[in-house]
Amino acid sequence: MAYTIDLTGKTAVITGSNSGIGLGIAWELARAGADVVLNSFTDREEDHALAREIAEETGVTARYIKADMSKGDACRQLIADAGRCDILINNAGIQHVAPIPDFPVEKWDAIIAINLSSAFHTTAAALPMMRQAGWGRIINISSAHGLTASPFKSAYIAAKHGIVGLTKTTALETAQEPITANTICPGYVLTPLVEAQIPDTMKEYDMSREDVIKNVMLERQPSKEFATVEQLGGTATFLCSDAAAQITGTAISVDGGWTAL
Ligand code: NAD
């Protein structure tokens, strides 16, 4: 039997998907036929325009639903408002960098809420729907920092390690059902957020764009290349395929060799 990836009839909810990796995953799932629900905490015309563009290009149904992933009730309401959720991508995330004694408590709380607790709430709300539908895929976006650490990113690293653990527990609780739960751990990905940091870093270190990318940003990424949002979308789409039905509880690195070091 040849495995093909056809997600027609499935609905994917992707948290934090009005830019970067979440948007890239939404595009790839839509290209594979899934209806998609985009999300962020804003409610701007351009957020809804992103959903319209996906719908027009791919022919799937695409919607944008505002929900603040720092709030448990809003996370659960997002899944309820989506109406169904066959594929859940927990992607929303923020970062703050500071040594532990100086780390602002409100930043710690926000990072734990958005990067970790939101996935608990959406999973709790989505699992009954997946069980009802008899099929489900949960894909949590962690990071190379879900498997390794760096200084000054305590909250982010705690949350991203936590996501790997939550995914394993989700996989065990669903192991005998047609539902899988996996983590994707990206290395450095060239998202608009990362692109925007390049000019300042060039100035700070008096370096060329290429040197900043290779020697500062990709210092720990042996491939010396960014991962792309399309590659992450492709990995997520593969995890939704029948070929991946026995892949559950894993953390898949898309990091150019970072965690092999
Ligand atoms: P990004 O800033 O483009 O995307 C983050 C998304 O989360 C945005 O859509 C943003 O609107 C959303 N978001 C933030 N706070 C939210 C809230 N309270 N409620 C709802 N949505 C909220 O950055 P990205 O690089 O695409 O990051 C996406 C995910 O990938 C994050 O979890 C990040 O930790 C992870 N990641 C990124 C990289 C990288 O190099 N870019 C590497 C490893 C992991």
Side-chain angles (χ1 to χ4, degrees):
M1 171 190 161
Y3 286 109
T4 53
I5 305 181
D6 180 4
L7 301 178
T8 308
K10 310 291 189 203
T11 296
V13 179
I14 307 108
T15 72
S17 47
N18 66 351
S19 74
I21 294 170
L23 185 57
I25 291 175
W27 268 103
E28 292 307 313
L29 292 174
R31 287 188 181 111
D35 294 329
V36 294
V37 174
L38 304 184
N39 154 263
S40 184
F41 59 95
T42 50
D43 198 11
R44 305 164 304 179
E45 169 50 28
E46 62 236 60
D47 296 324
H48 295 275
L50 290 171
R52 280 200 300 277
E53 195 187 336
I54 291 177
E56 279 160 22
E57 282 269 328
T58 65
V60 305
T61 300
R63 287 174 289 156
Y64 175 87
I65 300 178
K66 173 194 169 180
D68 183 349
M69 293 297 103
S70 70
K71 300 188 168 61
D73 289 350
C75 297
R76 290 169 189 257
Q77 193 59 46
L78 169 65
I79 303 302
D81 290 345
R84 69 179 287 164
C85 180
D86 307 289
I87 299 165
L88 171 62
I89 313 283
N90 285 306
N91 169 78
I94 59 168
Q95 173 66 286
H96 186 79
V97 180
I100 291 171
D102 305 330
F103 210 94
V105 173
E106 64 278 10
K107 290 285 182 197
W108 171 275
D109 290 342
I111 290 173
I112 298 300
I114 296 167
N115 296 23
L116 176 58
S117 302
S118 68
F120 160 71
H121 292 294
T122 55
T123 299
L127 271 178
M129 288 184 183
M130 292 177 178
R131 288 183 166 135
Q132 179 81 25
W135 190 92
R137 294 285 188 267
I138 297 170
I139 300 169
N140 295 323
I141 306 304
S142 178
S143 167
H145 279 132
L147 305 169
T148 63
S150 298
F152 314 127
K153 296 181 176 174
S154 54
Y156 186 85
I157 285 161
K160 293 298 187 183
H161 276 69
I163 277 287
V164 173
L166 173 66
T167 309
K168 289 180 183 177
T169 299
T170 310
L172 293 180
E173 291 189 18
T174 56
Q176 295 184 17
E177 302 173 76
I179 297 171
T180 67
N182 290 287
T183 309
I184 297 176
C185 296
Y188 239 117
V189 185
L190 190 55
T191 59
L193 198 84
V194 172
E195 177 68 51
Q197 293 167 22
I198 295 176
D200 282 350
T201 318
M202 284 169 66
K203 268 191 220 142
E204 191 183 334
Y205 291 95
D206 192 21
M207 279 182 176
S208 68
R209 181 184 162 86
E210 269 125 54
D211 284 345
V212 162
I213 289 174
K214 286 212 162 122
N215 301 326
V216 181
M217 293 185 151
L218 298 179
E219 193 218 336
R220 292 173 73 181
Q221 200 146 308
S223 66
K224 299 294 172 198
E225 282 183 31
F226 288 109
T228 67
V229 300
E230 290 80 9
Q231 288 162 353
L232 291 161
T235 306
T237 304
F238 165 70
L239 286 171
C240 294
S241 73
D242 291 340
Q246 285 298 316
I247 301 177
T248 194
T250 62
I252 298 180
S253 293
V254 182
D255 66 1
W258 178 332
T259 44
L261 277 175

